[in-house]
Amino acid sequence: MQDLIRRESSTYMDIFQKRPTRYRIYETLVYMAVMFVLAGYMPADTGLYKVLAVLSAVVIIGCAPILYRKVLTPEYILTKKELIIRMSGNERVFPLQEVERASDWKALFRLQGKKEPLMVSKDFLWELDDQLEKMKKNKKKR
């Protein structure tokens, strides 16, 4: 690939820390379903119920990024002119002119007008920010 700056597959921690809000909502719904099933089989004031509640939260929230990584296989590619996102076998290409940071604190970007978190490392984010800054400077020169 010409003009390749960085290629990265998401790690467990990148996915865990930067996964989209809708994924977190799905995890919460699964946890709620597990809690309703547990409540149907045992009284909520028992020690076993409390242990199983904590254990199920740890398993659901802790294992979800592993599942996302296996199923989605997120990969991000940064070139001098494009951001390419591959997930679940689908590839989306965004010209860097259509990419802008939506938050200074999170890995949240506006891609063609739609906010989306990028599950990438800090190094990838620095490279992307740097490339976006270069694009802005080149745009101003014209």
Side-chain angles (χ1 to χ4, degrees):
M1 191 172 288
Q2 50 187 201
D3 300 331
L4 177 69
I5 295 174
R6 191 173 187 96
R7 168 184 250 132
E8 182 172 290
S9 293
S10 297
T11 65
Y12 172 87
M13 285 307 290
D14 294 333
I15 295 170
F16 181 77
Q17 293 172 345
K18 299 167 185 149
R19 65 192 184 274
T21 303
R22 68 175 174 214
Y23 292 5
R24 295 172 196 263
I25 291 170
Y26 297 148
E27 294 163 18
T28 302
L29 293 173
V30 169
Y31 179 71
M32 288 172 54
V34 168
M35 294 308 297
F36 283 126
V37 169
L38 284 176
Y41 286 106
M42 64 185 68
D45 59 348
T46 63
L48 179 61
Y49 178 85
K50 294 173 185 175
V51 169
L52 289 175
V54 171
L55 186 63
S56 62
V58 169
V59 168
I60 291 168
I61 294 171
C63 292
I66 296 169
L67 180 66
Y68 300 147
R69 188 169 184 213
K70 295 287 183 199
V71 172
L72 300 175
T73 58
E75 181 181 25
Y76 296 85
I77 301 166
L78 178 63
T79 67
K80 289 186 178 183
K81 296 182 181 185
E82 297 174 328
L83 173 64
I84 302 165
I85 301 174
R86 293 182 182 154
M87 272 198 219
S88 302
N90 297 326
E91 180 174 290
R92 297 180 298 153
V93 179
F94 301 96
L96 290 181
Q97 294 92 341
E98 298 176 14
V99 176
E100 66 179 275
R101 210 175 232 293
S103 171
D104 291 333
W105 306 107
K106 297 180 185 178
L108 191 65
F109 286 81
R110 191 169 276 113
L111 306 174
Q112 294 177 331
K114 185 178 175 185
K115 288 183 184 178
E116 185 174 331
L118 300 184
M119 298 180 286
V120 294
S121 67
K122 289 180 183 179
D123 292 339
F124 189 97
L125 291 172
W126 287 330
E127 293 280 355
L128 178 56
D129 286 336
D130 185 50
Q131 200 60 30
L132 291 173
E133 194 63 37
K134 287 177 184 176
M135 292 291 288
K136 284 182 186 177
K137 286 180 183 178
N138 286 341
K139 199 175 195 181
K140 288 179 182 179
K141 286 181 182 178
R142 293 180 186 174

